[in-house]
Amino acid sequence: MKCAQYGEHQASTRRLSTVTMATAATILDDIDDKFCQCCLCFEQYEDPRQLPCLHRYCSKCLDKEIKRNRGDLKCPLCQQEADVPKDGAQGLKKDFFMNEIIEFLDIKKSFQDEETHECGDCSKIGKARSYCFKCSEFLCDGCHEYHMSKKSLKEHRPYLLTLKDVKSKSLTLQKLSSLKQAPMCKTHPDDVSRLCCKTCDNLPICLACTYGGHKSHEIEDATSLATVKREDLRNRLAILTESKDKIEQEVEKTLQMQKEVVATADTEITQLDHDAGRELNEIGRALETVSEERSNASRQIRDKWEGERERRQQTLEERIKRFRKEHEEMEQKFENDMNTNIRKSNETYNKKESKLLGKQENVERQLREGKGLISQARGSKLGKTEGAIVNGKSTIERMQNLIETGSNILVSENNWTAIQNADRVCAASEPLIRELEGKFPGLDKVLEYPQVRLSPGRAEKMKVSDEPVIEVAIEDITRKEWYITGVAAAPDGTVVITGGTGGPQAHISVIKLDGKISKQKLIGRVGRYPYCFCAYFRNTEFAIAARCNATIGLYNADNNSYHSTDLSKVIYKKMEILSITADGSNDHIIAGCWNDPILYVLNGKLQLTRTINLPQIIKSPREIVVNNGAIFICCESSKSAYAANMEGGLLYELTKPVTAIRTVPFNVCTGNNGSVYVLWVGGDFISSSEIDCVITQYNPDDGSLLTTTPVRAVAGRIAAAEIDGAEKLLLASQFGGMLRVYGLEEDH
């Protein structure tokens, strides 16, 4: 029952608050009795007192709360702690505003119930015609007319509330405040208090008091002080209202972000299902192909040997009498040879089938683990957004209470209401305003999910051809004596090279395998070392990085357009970019800098999204490439190659090749089958003559060395490319403008 009454009381309070916020002339008739009920005893307020949070209760109810809490006091509504005065609830501030409303409701009820009263002037018992707030008495018809006509009572007329005023239902808080005269001086009860002693906690005093006990105190005119208090309160309420609107917007944004969290997680799982399904379908088709090839191979072998048997049998039958023994021996030999070949063929295809089944098992396992990671992340992120929403709503409720209370004080024209209450509202707003100076809890990364990569399994050994299958001089590069510091290829076979021009500019060139340049772009002044690096991003876009001026851009090979951003102006430090890689599927462009153990991650809009702190052993990432959620790094300082995860954790060091020369990692790239290729060079990095080099292939799962191929060439850049339906390695010489294409085939 009390819960229902409390709910009705809250609804009544909200209705009045809505009216108060809507107009300065609040209609008193809209206030019902429940608004004046204490939410502890559910009776009309008796000697109401306000806590620092501005919630009000009966003084006797507060004394009970203090006793129940053993001398402590918390607001029963908002749980804000309050200091308990020495004399208990009597030491808390009186609620003048509520007292005015209660007094009006009592008078209103008396008029409506047509109660009889003793006239304050003639002492006759009868129905009241009006109520004089100056006399604090009900008046009969005759005495009301006497008040209105007698010159000696002229000062009483502004303080008369008539039955007609009550019945008109148009009486406002503003009008009620004007009917209330200023309080009488406690020291001189016959004098009206028109002054205020700030030294004595804004005590109302008269002029005579300034010559007595308040002579040396700080005195203010009540009207002037009320004007100042009202203006201060208006300013505070404006700040609170603006802050409340901002929090409501943040809560709305967070609610929307919560929806996006769920939608993003669903999209990620759907995409993961789609990727896994596609991979499993390809493996299934490959298994069908292996099965069909096995059958065809067995049939061909059987057909071949059966034909040979028939031919020899015909020959032997002609000489059967003389060569029966030889015929029997040969028959047995043919049978053995046929079975041996079939067995070898089955062994070959069993190996292929076993590899494909292993890949299928890896993909299914990674699919299960990926879904589990995303689901776990989704639960954690939903918990964060729920906490932010609850905190935001709680702050809004506290602000709303302050705004409503302050607005009620503003619409009252009673100066003493403003004097006694404005400071408390301002004091209660201080901790909220300080709290709002901090930022609403950030959720910038709430939509980021753990990266899940589907890796079919261990990469196949690929043998690099001993000699290049294509070797051409790139026409303009060779003729103009420009140099190459970057090479990259798109899935459609588009090849882009970048480098210096010998001057302050760098070049971006789209080349053909006959050495001709189809498109070319010269870019800005890139510094005293016009090195320019590139990596394939997505569609027809390539990520471009210039070393000395620290610019990162995107080049469109389709329309030859280019735009860039200066990374040093975002990081606010001088930097020289040494390497760049890109992962278009995750909207990542990653740059590494000279003598800097930090990688910088940008999105497709060339906005810096985060940084990756590399392991301590990696001081200067000369070359980097991203592959299946791992970053492979050629370190210039340690002269070694490493693999790290996307959070910067060291996975493993790549095995150095065993050669007759002392080699260092110069460049790195990835192949379509997941392999990682590293170009190791011996001698001088910037030599313009051919030197001993080694191309190594690694398994990206554990960094194990798969193949080693020595080559002799000018040190340069490597990239994998799809050419004529097969994957090949491109090796572009830094000097001389030479492009060599090496073949790749499985090494059994």
Side-chain angles (χ1 to χ4, degrees), residues 27-29 104-113 129-131 133 138 160-171 176 179:
I27 306 301
L28 288 171
D29 200 61
F104 165 74
L105 291 178
D106 289 341
I107 296 171
K108 169 188 167 184
K109 186 175 185 302
S110 179
F111 279 133
Q112 288 176 341
D113 294 346
R129 166 77 177 278
S130 62
Y131 183 84
F133 282 95
F138 285 96
L160 284 175
L161 175 65
T162 67
L163 177 61
K164 182 179 178 182
D165 292 332
V166 174
K167 289 184 176 180
S168 68
K169 298 185 178 181
S170 60
L171 189 63
L176 178 62
L179 294 174

PDB file of all heavy atoms in Angstrom, residues 27-29 104-113 129-131 133 138 160-171 176 179:
ATOM      1  N   ILE A  27       0.087  27.469 -11.869  1.00  0.00           N
ATOM      2  CA  ILE A  27      -1.284  27.512 -11.358  1.00  0.00           C
ATOM      3  C   ILE A  27      -1.346  26.717 -10.058  1.00  0.00           C
ATOM      4  O   ILE A  27      -1.079  25.517 -10.044  1.00  0.00           O
ATOM      5  CB  ILE A  27      -2.271  26.941 -12.393  1.00  0.00           C
ATOM      6  CG1 ILE A  27      -2.104  27.680 -13.740  1.00  0.00           C
ATOM      7  CG2 ILE A  27      -3.713  27.083 -11.888  1.00  0.00           C
ATOM      8  CD1 ILE A  27      -2.324  29.160 -13.670  1.00  0.00           C
ATOM      9  N   LEU A  28      -1.684  27.367  -8.948  1.00  0.00           N
ATOM     10  CA  LEU A  28      -1.725  26.687  -7.661  1.00  0.00           C
ATOM     11  C   LEU A  28      -2.821  25.643  -7.609  1.00  0.00           C
ATOM     12  O   LEU A  28      -2.745  24.685  -6.851  1.00  0.00           O
ATOM     13  CB  LEU A  28      -1.924  27.708  -6.535  1.00  0.00           C
ATOM     14  CG  LEU A  28      -0.693  28.594  -6.246  1.00  0.00           C
ATOM     15  CD1 LEU A  28      -1.053  29.696  -5.297  1.00  0.00           C
ATOM     16  CD2 LEU A  28       0.426  27.753  -5.704  1.00  0.00           C
ATOM     17  N   ASP A  29      -3.861  25.826  -8.411  1.00  0.00           N
ATOM     18  CA  ASP A  29      -4.951  24.848  -8.403  1.00  0.00           C
ATOM     19  C   ASP A  29      -4.490  23.491  -8.943  1.00  0.00           C
ATOM     20  O   ASP A  29      -5.131  22.484  -8.726  1.00  0.00           O
ATOM     21  CB  ASP A  29      -6.141  25.364  -9.235  1.00  0.00           C
ATOM     22  CG  ASP A  29      -7.423  24.641  -8.872  1.00  0.00           C
ATOM     23  OD1 ASP A  29      -7.852  24.727  -7.708  1.00  0.00           O
ATOM     24  OD2 ASP A  29      -7.967  23.952  -9.766  1.00  0.00           O
ATOM     25  N   PHE A 104      -1.417  27.827   1.869  1.00  0.00           N
ATOM     26  CA  PHE A 104      -2.436  28.119   0.856  1.00  0.00           C
ATOM     27  C   PHE A 104      -3.440  26.977   0.746  1.00  0.00           C
ATOM     28  O   PHE A 104      -4.655  27.206   0.671  1.00  0.00           O
ATOM     29  CB  PHE A 104      -1.778  28.347  -0.507  1.00  0.00           C
ATOM     30  CG  PHE A 104      -2.754  28.298  -1.654  1.00  0.00           C
ATOM     31  CD1 PHE A 104      -3.649  29.332  -1.889  1.00  0.00           C
ATOM     32  CD2 PHE A 104      -2.806  27.165  -2.470  1.00  0.00           C
ATOM     33  CE1 PHE A 104      -4.557  29.251  -2.928  1.00  0.00           C
ATOM     34  CE2 PHE A 104      -3.710  27.088  -3.504  1.00  0.00           C
ATOM     35  CZ  PHE A 104      -4.595  28.140  -3.737  1.00  0.00           C
ATOM     36  N   LEU A 105      -2.948  25.719   0.739  1.00  0.00           N
ATOM     37  CA  LEU A 105      -3.860  24.579   0.602  1.00  0.00           C
ATOM     38  C   LEU A 105      -4.834  24.515   1.782  1.00  0.00           C
ATOM     39  O   LEU A 105      -6.009  24.158   1.618  1.00  0.00           O
ATOM     40  CB  LEU A 105      -3.059  23.276   0.485  1.00  0.00           C
ATOM     41  CG  LEU A 105      -2.260  23.097  -0.822  1.00  0.00           C
ATOM     42  CD1 LEU A 105      -1.479  21.797  -0.776  1.00  0.00           C
ATOM     43  CD2 LEU A 105      -3.173  23.124  -2.030  1.00  0.00           C
ATOM     44  N   ASP A 106      -4.345  24.848   2.985  1.00  0.00           N
ATOM     45  CA  ASP A 106      -5.243  24.845   4.149  1.00  0.00           C
ATOM     46  C   ASP A 106      -6.342  25.908   3.992  1.00  0.00           C
ATOM     47  O   ASP A 106      -7.526  25.669   4.271  1.00  0.00           O
ATOM     48  CB  ASP A 106      -4.438  25.103   5.419  1.00  0.00           C
ATOM     49  CG  ASP A 106      -3.570  23.907   5.781  1.00  0.00           C
ATOM     50  OD1 ASP A 106      -3.871  22.809   5.269  1.00  0.00           O
ATOM     51  OD2 ASP A 106      -2.604  24.075   6.547  1.00  0.00           O
ATOM     52  N   ILE A 107      -5.926  27.121   3.557  1.00  0.00           N
ATOM     53  CA  ILE A 107      -6.911  28.201   3.351  1.00  0.00           C
ATOM     54  C   ILE A 107      -7.877  27.817   2.242  1.00  0.00           C
ATOM     55  O   ILE A 107      -9.097  27.996   2.350  1.00  0.00           O
ATOM     56  CB  ILE A 107      -6.182  29.513   3.019  1.00  0.00           C
ATOM     57  CG1 ILE A 107      -5.326  29.956   4.213  1.00  0.00           C
ATOM     58  CG2 ILE A 107      -7.179  30.609   2.643  1.00  0.00           C
ATOM     59  CD1 ILE A 107      -4.405  31.117   3.910  1.00  0.00           C
ATOM     60  N   LYS A 108      -7.340  27.257   1.140  1.00  0.00           N
ATOM     61  CA  LYS A 108      -8.166  26.841  -0.002  1.00  0.00           C
ATOM     62  C   LYS A 108      -9.197  25.806   0.433  1.00  0.00           C
ATOM     63  O   LYS A 108     -10.382  25.890   0.091  1.00  0.00           O
ATOM     64  CB  LYS A 108      -7.253  26.264  -1.095  1.00  0.00           C
ATOM     65  CG  LYS A 108      -7.978  25.559  -2.219  1.00  0.00           C
ATOM     66  CD  LYS A 108      -6.958  24.876  -3.129  1.00  0.00           C
ATOM     67  CE  LYS A 108      -7.623  23.913  -4.071  1.00  0.00           C
ATOM     68  NZ  LYS A 108      -6.649  23.187  -4.891  1.00  0.00           N
ATOM     69  N   LYS A 109      -8.747  24.821   1.231  1.00  0.00           N
ATOM     70  CA  LYS A 109      -9.666  23.770   1.690  1.00  0.00           C
ATOM     71  C   LYS A 109     -10.764  24.364   2.583  1.00  0.00           C
ATOM     72  O   LYS A 109     -11.934  23.984   2.514  1.00  0.00           O
ATOM     73  CB  LYS A 109      -8.884  22.700   2.455  1.00  0.00           C
ATOM     74  CG  LYS A 109      -9.710  21.497   2.861  1.00  0.00           C
ATOM     75  CD  LYS A 109      -8.822  20.440   3.516  1.00  0.00           C
ATOM     76  CE  LYS A 109      -9.620  19.177   3.825  1.00  0.00           C
ATOM     77  NZ  LYS A 109     -10.751  19.444   4.692  1.00  0.00           N
ATOM     78  N   SER A 110     -10.382  25.336   3.413  1.00  0.00           N
ATOM     79  CA  SER A 110     -11.360  25.966   4.309  1.00  0.00           C
ATOM     80  C   SER A 110     -12.435  26.687   3.506  1.00  0.00           C
ATOM     81  O   SER A 110     -13.630  26.609   3.806  1.00  0.00           O
ATOM     82  CB  SER A 110     -10.642  26.941   5.248  1.00  0.00           C
ATOM     83  OG  SER A 110     -11.578  27.571   6.110  1.00  0.00           O
ATOM     84  N   PHE A 111     -12.021  27.429   2.458  1.00  0.00           N
ATOM     85  CA  PHE A 111     -12.982  28.101   1.594  1.00  0.00           C
ATOM     86  C   PHE A 111     -13.873  27.096   0.875  1.00  0.00           C
ATOM     87  O   PHE A 111     -15.090  27.252   0.781  1.00  0.00           O
ATOM     88  CB  PHE A 111     -12.249  28.973   0.570  1.00  0.00           C
ATOM     89  CG  PHE A 111     -11.814  30.320   1.119  1.00  0.00           C
ATOM     90  CD1 PHE A 111     -10.522  30.795   0.897  1.00  0.00           C
ATOM     91  CD2 PHE A 111     -12.687  31.116   1.856  1.00  0.00           C
ATOM     92  CE1 PHE A 111     -10.129  32.021   1.381  1.00  0.00           C
ATOM     93  CE2 PHE A 111     -12.290  32.345   2.348  1.00  0.00           C
ATOM     94  CZ  PHE A 111     -11.010  32.802   2.125  1.00  0.00           C
ATOM     95  N   GLN A 112     -13.249  26.035   0.294  1.00  0.00           N
ATOM     96  CA  GLN A 112     -14.018  25.066  -0.497  1.00  0.00           C
ATOM     97  C   GLN A 112     -15.005  24.291   0.370  1.00  0.00           C
ATOM     98  O   GLN A 112     -16.115  23.982  -0.069  1.00  0.00           O
ATOM     99  CB  GLN A 112     -13.053  24.095  -1.201  1.00  0.00           C
ATOM    100  CG  GLN A 112     -12.283  24.736  -2.340  1.00  0.00           C
ATOM    101  CD  GLN A 112     -11.280  23.787  -2.946  1.00  0.00           C
ATOM    102  OE1 GLN A 112     -10.906  22.787  -2.326  1.00  0.00           O
ATOM    103  NE2 GLN A 112     -10.848  24.093  -4.154  1.00  0.00           N
ATOM    104  N   ASP A 113     -14.617  23.996   1.609  1.00  0.00           N
ATOM    105  CA  ASP A 113     -15.516  23.243   2.505  1.00  0.00           C
ATOM    106  C   ASP A 113     -16.522  24.159   3.214  1.00  0.00           C
ATOM    107  O   ASP A 113     -17.364  23.680   4.003  1.00  0.00           O
ATOM    108  CB  ASP A 113     -14.690  22.496   3.564  1.00  0.00           C
ATOM    109  CG  ASP A 113     -13.846  21.417   2.930  1.00  0.00           C
ATOM    110  OD1 ASP A 113     -14.103  21.086   1.748  1.00  0.00           O
ATOM    111  OD2 ASP A 113     -12.928  20.911   3.603  1.00  0.00           O
ATOM    112  N   ARG A 129     -15.152  35.552   4.128  1.00  0.00           N
ATOM    113  CA  ARG A 129     -15.181  36.187   2.803  1.00  0.00           C
ATOM    114  C   ARG A 129     -13.758  36.292   2.224  1.00  0.00           C
ATOM    115  O   ARG A 129     -13.553  36.201   1.027  1.00  0.00           O
ATOM    116  CB  ARG A 129     -15.797  37.577   2.944  1.00  0.00           C
ATOM    117  CG  ARG A 129     -15.601  38.487   1.723  1.00  0.00           C
ATOM    118  CD  ARG A 129     -16.547  38.147   0.582  1.00  0.00           C
ATOM    119  NE  ARG A 129     -16.368  39.071  -0.521  1.00  0.00           N
ATOM    120  CZ  ARG A 129     -16.916  40.281  -0.589  1.00  0.00           C
ATOM    121  NH1 ARG A 129     -17.669  40.714   0.413  1.00  0.00           N
ATOM    122  NH2 ARG A 129     -16.727  41.064  -1.630  1.00  0.00           N
ATOM    123  N   SER A 130     -12.794  36.465   3.131  1.00  0.00           N
ATOM    124  CA  SER A 130     -11.396  36.619   2.685  1.00  0.00           C
ATOM    125  C   SER A 130     -10.464  36.256   3.836  1.00  0.00           C
ATOM    126  O   SER A 130     -10.898  36.009   4.958  1.00  0.00           O
ATOM    127  CB  SER A 130     -11.138  38.054   2.205  1.00  0.00           C
ATOM    128  OG  SER A 130     -11.326  38.969   3.273  1.00  0.00           O
ATOM    129  N   TYR A 131      -9.155  36.251   3.482  1.00  0.00           N
ATOM    130  CA  TYR A 131      -8.115  35.962   4.485  1.00  0.00           C
ATOM    131  C   TYR A 131      -7.048  37.039   4.342  1.00  0.00           C
ATOM    132  O   TYR A 131      -6.537  37.287   3.234  1.00  0.00           O
ATOM    133  CB  TYR A 131      -7.486  34.585   4.263  1.00  0.00           C
ATOM    134  CG  TYR A 131      -6.469  34.212   5.307  1.00  0.00           C
ATOM    135  CD1 TYR A 131      -6.862  33.640   6.511  1.00  0.00           C
ATOM    136  CD2 TYR A 131      -5.110  34.433   5.094  1.00  0.00           C
ATOM    137  CE1 TYR A 131      -5.929  33.296   7.469  1.00  0.00           C
ATOM    138  CE2 TYR A 131      -4.170  34.096   6.051  1.00  0.00           C
ATOM    139  CZ  TYR A 131      -4.599  33.521   7.248  1.00  0.00           C
ATOM    140  OH  TYR A 131      -3.659  33.177   8.207  1.00  0.00           O
ATOM    141  N   PHE A 133      -3.375  38.123   5.066  1.00  0.00           N
ATOM    142  CA  PHE A 133      -2.080  37.567   5.442  1.00  0.00           C
ATOM    143  C   PHE A 133      -1.329  38.502   6.392  1.00  0.00           C
ATOM    144  O   PHE A 133      -0.467  38.059   7.141  1.00  0.00           O
ATOM    145  CB  PHE A 133      -1.236  37.317   4.183  1.00  0.00           C
ATOM    146  CG  PHE A 133      -1.631  36.063   3.450  1.00  0.00           C
ATOM    147  CD1 PHE A 133      -2.526  36.109   2.399  1.00  0.00           C
ATOM    148  CD2 PHE A 133      -1.121  34.835   3.832  1.00  0.00           C
ATOM    149  CE1 PHE A 133      -2.896  34.963   1.734  1.00  0.00           C
ATOM    150  CE2 PHE A 133      -1.481  33.683   3.169  1.00  0.00           C
ATOM    151  CZ  PHE A 133      -2.375  33.733   2.115  1.00  0.00           C
ATOM    152  N   PHE A 138      -9.036  35.181   9.216  1.00  0.00           N
ATOM    153  CA  PHE A 138     -10.148  35.162   8.272  1.00  0.00           C
ATOM    154  C   PHE A 138     -11.044  36.375   8.554  1.00  0.00           C
ATOM    155  O   PHE A 138     -11.185  36.822   9.710  1.00  0.00           O
ATOM    156  CB  PHE A 138     -10.973  33.875   8.423  1.00  0.00           C
ATOM    157  CG  PHE A 138     -10.303  32.665   7.847  1.00  0.00           C
ATOM    158  CD1 PHE A 138      -9.550  31.810   8.659  1.00  0.00           C
ATOM    159  CD2 PHE A 138     -10.415  32.374   6.491  1.00  0.00           C
ATOM    160  CE1 PHE A 138      -8.934  30.706   8.132  1.00  0.00           C
ATOM    161  CE2 PHE A 138      -9.801  31.262   5.966  1.00  0.00           C
ATOM    162  CZ  PHE A 138      -9.051  30.424   6.782  1.00  0.00           C
ATOM    163  N   LEU A 160      -4.699  40.646   0.920  1.00  0.00           N
ATOM    164  CA  LEU A 160      -5.996  39.989   1.066  1.00  0.00           C
ATOM    165  C   LEU A 160      -6.179  38.905   0.013  1.00  0.00           C
ATOM    166  O   LEU A 160      -5.957  39.135  -1.183  1.00  0.00           O
ATOM    167  CB  LEU A 160      -7.124  41.022   0.938  1.00  0.00           C
ATOM    168  CG  LEU A 160      -7.352  41.937   2.157  1.00  0.00           C
ATOM    169  CD1 LEU A 160      -8.416  42.971   1.829  1.00  0.00           C
ATOM    170  CD2 LEU A 160      -7.756  41.126   3.371  1.00  0.00           C
ATOM    171  N   LEU A 161      -6.551  37.684   0.450  1.00  0.00           N
ATOM    172  CA  LEU A 161      -6.906  36.578  -0.448  1.00  0.00           C
ATOM    173  C   LEU A 161      -8.400  36.348  -0.286  1.00  0.00           C
ATOM    174  O   LEU A 161      -8.881  36.008   0.797  1.00  0.00           O
ATOM    175  CB  LEU A 161      -6.139  35.299  -0.077  1.00  0.00           C
ATOM    176  CG  LEU A 161      -6.516  34.057  -0.869  1.00  0.00           C
ATOM    177  CD1 LEU A 161      -6.160  34.219  -2.342  1.00  0.00           C
ATOM    178  CD2 LEU A 161      -5.801  32.833  -0.285  1.00  0.00           C
ATOM    179  N   THR A 162      -9.171  36.537  -1.390  1.00  0.00           N
ATOM    180  CA  THR A 162     -10.626  36.456  -1.314  1.00  0.00           C
ATOM    181  C   THR A 162     -11.119  35.110  -1.787  1.00  0.00           C
ATOM    182  O   THR A 162     -10.397  34.364  -2.469  1.00  0.00           O
ATOM    183  CB  THR A 162     -11.267  37.560  -2.168  1.00  0.00           C
ATOM    184  OG1 THR A 162     -10.986  37.298  -3.541  1.00  0.00           O
ATOM    185  CG2 THR A 162     -10.748  38.935  -1.779  1.00  0.00           C
ATOM    186  N   LEU A 163     -12.350  34.810  -1.415  1.00  0.00           N
ATOM    187  CA  LEU A 163     -12.999  33.590  -1.880  1.00  0.00           C
ATOM    188  C   LEU A 163     -13.073  33.568  -3.398  1.00  0.00           C
ATOM    189  O   LEU A 163     -12.927  32.533  -4.042  1.00  0.00           O
ATOM    190  CB  LEU A 163     -14.414  33.477  -1.264  1.00  0.00           C
ATOM    191  CG  LEU A 163     -15.269  32.282  -1.721  1.00  0.00           C
ATOM    192  CD1 LEU A 163     -14.575  30.975  -1.352  1.00  0.00           C
ATOM    193  CD2 LEU A 163     -16.646  32.359  -1.067  1.00  0.00           C
ATOM    194  N   LYS A 164     -13.278  34.756  -3.983  1.00  0.00           N
ATOM    195  CA  LYS A 164     -13.349  34.857  -5.449  1.00  0.00           C
ATOM    196  C   LYS A 164     -12.021  34.446  -6.077  1.00  0.00           C
ATOM    197  O   LYS A 164     -11.993  33.777  -7.111  1.00  0.00           O
ATOM    198  CB  LYS A 164     -13.695  36.292  -5.830  1.00  0.00           C
ATOM    199  CG  LYS A 164     -13.835  36.511  -7.335  1.00  0.00           C
ATOM    200  CD  LYS A 164     -14.194  37.962  -7.628  1.00  0.00           C
ATOM    201  CE  LYS A 164     -14.292  38.201  -9.131  1.00  0.00           C
ATOM    202  NZ  LYS A 164     -14.603  39.612  -9.443  1.00  0.00           N
ATOM    203  N   ASP A 165     -10.877  34.856  -5.448  1.00  0.00           N
ATOM    204  CA  ASP A 165      -9.555  34.476  -5.982  1.00  0.00           C
ATOM    205  C   ASP A 165      -9.395  32.959  -6.003  1.00  0.00           C
ATOM    206  O   ASP A 165      -8.862  32.385  -6.949  1.00  0.00           O
ATOM    207  CB  ASP A 165      -8.436  35.086  -5.119  1.00  0.00           C
ATOM    208  CG  ASP A 165      -8.397  36.592  -5.254  1.00  0.00           C
ATOM    209  OD1 ASP A 165      -8.794  37.103  -6.317  1.00  0.00           O
ATOM    210  OD2 ASP A 165      -7.957  37.255  -4.286  1.00  0.00           O
ATOM    211  N   VAL A 166      -9.864  32.297  -4.940  1.00  0.00           N
ATOM    212  CA  VAL A 166      -9.724  30.837  -4.855  1.00  0.00           C
ATOM    213  C   VAL A 166     -10.591  30.150  -5.889  1.00  0.00           C
ATOM    214  O   VAL A 166     -10.185  29.215  -6.583  1.00  0.00           O
ATOM    215  CB  VAL A 166     -10.068  30.348  -3.441  1.00  0.00           C
ATOM    216  CG1 VAL A 166     -10.058  28.826  -3.391  1.00  0.00           C
ATOM    217  CG2 VAL A 166      -9.100  30.939  -2.430  1.00  0.00           C
ATOM    218  N   LYS A 167     -11.841  30.628  -6.034  1.00  0.00           N
ATOM    219  CA  LYS A 167     -12.775  29.988  -6.974  1.00  0.00           C
ATOM    220  C   LYS A 167     -12.371  30.203  -8.432  1.00  0.00           C
ATOM    221  O   LYS A 167     -12.748  29.426  -9.306  1.00  0.00           O
ATOM    222  CB  LYS A 167     -14.188  30.520  -6.742  1.00  0.00           C
ATOM    223  CG  LYS A 167     -14.822  30.041  -5.439  1.00  0.00           C
ATOM    224  CD  LYS A 167     -16.271  30.519  -5.320  1.00  0.00           C
ATOM    225  CE  LYS A 167     -16.939  29.948  -4.056  1.00  0.00           C
ATOM    226  NZ  LYS A 167     -18.328  30.407  -3.932  1.00  0.00           N
ATOM    227  N   SER A 168     -11.641  31.277  -8.729  1.00  0.00           N
ATOM    228  CA  SER A 168     -11.257  31.550 -10.126  1.00  0.00           C
ATOM    229  C   SER A 168     -10.254  30.521 -10.651  1.00  0.00           C
ATOM    230  O   SER A 168     -10.063  30.385 -11.843  1.00  0.00           O
ATOM    231  CB  SER A 168     -10.632  32.943 -10.227  1.00  0.00           C
ATOM    232  OG  SER A 168      -9.378  32.979  -9.550  1.00  0.00           O
ATOM    233  N   LYS A 169      -9.593  29.781  -9.767  1.00  0.00           N
ATOM    234  CA  LYS A 169      -8.612  28.746 -10.127  1.00  0.00           C
ATOM    235  C   LYS A 169      -7.478  29.294 -11.003  1.00  0.00           C
ATOM    236  O   LYS A 169      -6.953  28.607 -11.866  1.00  0.00           O
ATOM    237  CB  LYS A 169      -9.277  27.558 -10.847  1.00  0.00           C
ATOM    238  CG  LYS A 169     -10.301  26.848 -10.000  1.00  0.00           C
ATOM    239  CD  LYS A 169     -10.830  25.614 -10.712  1.00  0.00           C
ATOM    240  CE  LYS A 169     -11.820  24.862  -9.832  1.00  0.00           C
ATOM    241  NZ  LYS A 169     -12.336  23.658 -10.492  1.00  0.00           N
ATOM    242  N   SER A 170      -7.170  30.572 -10.826  1.00  0.00           N
ATOM    243  CA  SER A 170      -6.106  31.178 -11.631  1.00  0.00           C
ATOM    244  C   SER A 170      -4.992  31.740 -10.751  1.00  0.00           C
ATOM    245  O   SER A 170      -4.132  32.461 -11.220  1.00  0.00           O
ATOM    246  CB  SER A 170      -6.686  32.300 -12.506  1.00  0.00           C
ATOM    247  OG  SER A 170      -7.281  33.307 -11.689  1.00  0.00           O
ATOM    248  N   LEU A 171      -5.055  31.433  -9.459  1.00  0.00           N
ATOM    249  CA  LEU A 171      -4.046  31.938  -8.541  1.00  0.00           C
ATOM    250  C   LEU A 171      -2.723  31.215  -8.789  1.00  0.00           C
ATOM    251  O   LEU A 171      -2.684  29.994  -8.888  1.00  0.00           O
ATOM    252  CB  LEU A 171      -4.492  31.717  -7.093  1.00  0.00           C
ATOM    253  CG  LEU A 171      -3.625  32.397  -6.014  1.00  0.00           C
ATOM    254  CD1 LEU A 171      -3.682  33.911  -6.169  1.00  0.00           C
ATOM    255  CD2 LEU A 171      -4.103  31.981  -4.632  1.00  0.00           C
ATOM    256  N   LEU A 176       0.704  34.266  -5.044  1.00  0.00           N
ATOM    257  CA  LEU A 176       0.722  33.874  -3.641  1.00  0.00           C
ATOM    258  C   LEU A 176       1.907  34.508  -2.916  1.00  0.00           C
ATOM    259  O   LEU A 176       1.791  34.969  -1.783  1.00  0.00           O
ATOM    260  CB  LEU A 176       0.794  32.347  -3.525  1.00  0.00           C
ATOM    261  CG  LEU A 176       0.865  31.787  -2.103  1.00  0.00           C
ATOM    262  CD1 LEU A 176      -0.389  32.160  -1.318  1.00  0.00           C
ATOM    263  CD2 LEU A 176       1.058  30.291  -2.117  1.00  0.00           C
ATOM    264  N   LEU A 179       1.278  38.027  -1.870  1.00  0.00           N
ATOM    265  CA  LEU A 179       0.348  38.198  -0.757  1.00  0.00           C
ATOM    266  C   LEU A 179       1.055  38.084   0.599  1.00  0.00           C
ATOM    267  O   LEU A 179       0.548  38.560   1.615  1.00  0.00           O
ATOM    268  CB  LEU A 179      -0.764  37.149  -0.828  1.00  0.00           C
ATOM    269  CG  LEU A 179      -1.723  37.250  -2.035  1.00  0.00           C
ATOM    270  CD1 LEU A 179      -2.673  36.077  -2.047  1.00  0.00           C
ATOM    271  CD2 LEU A 179      -2.497  38.561  -1.989  1.00  0.00           C
TER     272      LEU A 179
END
